[in-house]
Amino acid sequence: MIEVEVEVEAGDWTDAIDEVEAVVERAAVAALGDREGGIVILLTDDETVRDLNDRFRGKDRPTNVLSFPAAEMPGVAGPTPLGDIVLAYGVCAAEAGEQSKTLRNHLTHLVVHGVLHLLGRDHEVDAEAEVMEGEERVILASLGVSDPYTLPHDD
């Protein structure tokens, strides 16, 4: 069973993207594939993400997406919690504009990216990045989103 909870803390998200919760849930479910689990996704502002990035990663600046894998919780009823994903509106909107993407497609990509982190994927070394980006491309293609690593974007 898959359980995706979407919390919208910054109204900019709902102002910018129609049915943003559905967009986020669709991306998360696609990234999970046949895996089971629960994810909470928070759509918030740059200041909240800056604070979290500083507290948990020692980086005093906002970033587009943060993933927080859940601790192992044996014996928990229902879907196993996989973790939380937090996205910053201002950073994401600016990136979408700079990369000539729609915010909707950029958000879809970042949710997929965040879910893959919760599933243990990483991109710290080139070989891992190549594998993770390949998975992202396949998942995004299934959602009708073009390759986010190829410019220019017509999304």
Side-chain angles (χ1 to χ4, degrees):
M1 177 179 188
I2 296 173
E3 185 175 303
V4 178
E5 180 182 336
V6 180
E7 297 179 14
V8 181
E9 187 176 84
D12 292 334
W13 286 105
T14 54
D15 292 343
I17 302 173
D18 290 336
E19 300 179 10
V20 70
E21 296 94 340
V23 170
V24 169
E25 184 173 349
R26 184 172 175 245
V29 169
L32 284 168
D34 60 357
R35 297 168 200 87
E36 294 186 0
I39 298 174
V40 175
I41 301 172
L42 176 63
L43 302 177
T44 191
D45 57 32
D46 289 6
E47 184 55 31
T48 299
V49 172
R50 185 211 56 78
D51 180 57
L52 292 169
N53 202 22
D54 186 33
R55 285 194 289 152
F56 293 98
R57 298 179 66 225
K59 297 180 180 187
D60 190 14
R61 63 181 182 273
T63 189
N64 52 14
V65 60
L66 293 171
S67 297
F68 297 97
E72 298 261 341
M73 299 173 60
V76 172
T80 303
L82 296 174
D84 302 331
I85 299 171
V86 184
L87 295 113
Y89 177 80
V91 174
C92 294
E95 288 175 348
E98 291 163 7
Q99 298 170 23
S100 301
K101 300 177 182 179
T102 65
L103 181 56
R104 176 187 211 99
N105 284 350
H106 191 48
L107 174 60
T108 298
H109 174 216
L110 293 174
V111 170
V112 168
H113 184 88
V115 171
L116 291 178
H117 274 304
L118 295 182
L119 296 174
R121 308 307 188 282
D122 211 342
H123 49 81
E124 292 301 313
V125 298
D126 288 344
E128 290 176 341
E130 207 170 293
V131 170
M132 186 172 178
E133 289 171 10
E135 284 184 86
E136 289 173 6
R137 286 180 180 103
V138 169
I139 295 164
L140 291 169
S142 77
L143 295 169
V145 176
S146 65
D147 183 346
Y149 298 106
T150 303
L151 294 175
H153 296 281
D154 297 320
D155 297 333

